[in-house]
């Protein structure tokens, strides 16, 4: 079973994304094992210090190397890891290809930064991969770590009820997903496209592909160039 260990200064922030829906079901069914580790438990000082001012001056605290190093070493003694990932805005942006790759990789450690980030020596010597979730800055790496976990976990075989469902989502073939509709087929004067209630599988397939391409051309033409 894939193990994901998340190291954080505020692990409480991680709880809710894992406590419902698909992620909870994956955990309950033993399809993935996800654990949170509080950086304060690995501090080397009596007052549980984990961050300090940056050398050279300037606003913002920086996570220290010792607690992170202690925690990573503790985990490495018990398990083998494929990647030690740092969530950070100044890194390549997450995409479906990376999610696919990480879903079939071995165990993962994910490190969340906060405030001004983490000591560069952690990034240079301990981290094996850095991921951003987009070109904007959040206050901590917990939401990004939850985003990464969700995107990976839903791809693990058995997690989604319908095994093919993830394959028809956006980005799997560089296309955005086609529109979807459900009952009622007529709401006030709003009707579902006839083809979807025609029962003709080939026509439905062709319509969906056409809509996918149309939508991608309009909203994300960059994907079609890939
Ligand atoms: N000083 C840093 C930002 C620190 S934000 C800079 O300017 O690049 C604090 C923490 O939030 C980071 O250490 C990181 O773990 C997390 N974070 C913020 N935005 C993020 C993003 N877009 N993707 C991934 N992690 C992010």
């Amino acid at each position: 079973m894939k193990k994901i260990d998340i190291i954080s200064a505020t692990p409480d922030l991680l709880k809710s994304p894992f406590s419902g829906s698909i992620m909870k079901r994956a955990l309950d069914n033993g399809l993935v094992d996800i654990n949170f580790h509080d950086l304060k438990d690995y501090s080397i000082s009596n007052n549980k210090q984990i961050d300090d001012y940056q050398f050279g001056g300037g606003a913002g605290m920086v996570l220290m190397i010792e607690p992170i190093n202690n925690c990573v070493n503790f985990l490495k003694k018990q398990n083998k890891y494929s990647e030690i990932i740092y969530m950070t805005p100044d890194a390549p942006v997450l995409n479906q290809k990376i999610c696919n790759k990480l879903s079939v990789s071995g165990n993962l450690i994910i490190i969340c930064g906060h405030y001004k980030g983490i000591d560069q020596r952690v990034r240079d010597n301990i981290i094996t991969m850095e991921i951003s979730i987009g070109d904007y800055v959040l206050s901590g790496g917990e939401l990004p770590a939850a985003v990464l976990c969700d995107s990976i976990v839903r791809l693990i075989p058995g997690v989604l009820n319908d095994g093919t469902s993830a394959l028809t989502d956006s980005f799997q073939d560089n296309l955005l997903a086609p529109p979807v509709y459900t009952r009622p087929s007529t709401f006030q004067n709003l009707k579902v496209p006839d083809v979807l209630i025609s029962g003709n599988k080939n026509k439905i397939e062709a319509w969906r592909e056409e809509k996918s391409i149309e939508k991608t051309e309009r909203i994300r033409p960059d994907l079609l160039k890939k």
Side-chain angles (χ1 to χ4, degrees), residues 1-216:
M1 192 202 330
K2 192 190 203 67
K3 220 175 134 42
I4 305 178
D5 287 290
I6 309 178
I7 304 175
S8 159
T10 48
D12 277 357
L13 284 179
L14 287 163
K15 279 183 194 153
S16 95
F18 297 90
S19 60
S21 186
I22 290 169
M23 290 255 265
K24 180 175 190 297
R25 208 169 59 216
L27 288 164
D28 289 349
N29 293 345
L31 296 168
V32 62
D33 181 26
I34 301 177
N35 290 290
F36 312 145
H37 304 275
D38 191 338
L39 211 45
K40 291 186 271 315
D41 295 338
Y42 298 87
S43 166
I44 55 161
S45 68
N46 291 334
N47 60 351
K48 300 204 168 213
Q49 185 178 2
I50 52 165
D51 53 14
D52 212 333
Y53 296 102
Q54 56 174 316
F55 282 121
M61 302 298 273
V62 177
L63 290 180
M64 303 159 91
I65 189 167
E66 292 107 324
I68 296 174
N69 188 52
N70 284 347
C71 186
V72 168
N73 283 342
F74 170 79
L75 293 170
K76 274 182 165 174
K77 270 191 204 129
Q78 305 167 56
N79 307 290
K80 273 186 99 67
Y81 292 94
S82 293
E83 301 284 358
I84 302 178
I85 301 168
Y86 174 47
M87 304 309 300
T88 184
D90 54 347
V93 176
L94 183 63
N95 58 39
Q96 195 61 40
K97 208 170 147 196
I98 299 175
C99 303
N100 292 346
K101 195 175 142 235
L102 291 176
S103 77
V104 294
S105 79
N107 300 327
L108 304 171
I109 291 178
I110 304 176
I111 300 177
C112 311
H114 77 169
Y115 305 134
K116 209 64 194 163
I118 63 177
D119 191 301
Q120 183 63 35
R121 289 168 292 184
V122 175
R123 301 178 66 170
D124 293 342
N125 299 288
I126 298 175
I127 301 298
T128 63
M129 184 177 191
E130 298 189 328
I131 299 176
S132 164
I133 63 159
D135 292 346
Y136 44 84
V137 176
L138 300 166
S139 343
E142 288 73 18
L143 293 175
V147 166
L148 179 63
C149 282
D150 187 313
S151 71
I152 294 171
V153 168
R154 64 197 299 285
L155 297 173
I156 295 174
V159 170
L160 295 184
N161 280 335
D162 176 355
T164 59
S165 156
L167 297 176
T168 58
D169 284 333
S170 291
F171 306 113
Q172 283 299 5
D173 41 15
N174 285 329
L175 287 176
L176 301 180
V180 290
Y181 299 86
T182 187
R183 287 187 289 186
S185 59
T186 304
F187 170 70
Q188 294 171 358
N189 62 345
L190 306 174
K191 291 188 76 178
V192 166
D194 286 335
V195 58
L196 293 181
I197 32 188
S198 68
N200 184 327
K201 281 210 156 82
N202 290 337
K203 271 193 177 165
I204 294 172
E205 205 43 54
W207 181 88
R208 285 184 170 150
E209 193 179 337
E210 184 192 312
K211 290 291 163 191
S212 264
I213 295 170
E214 216 174 271
K215 197 189 209 180
T216 313

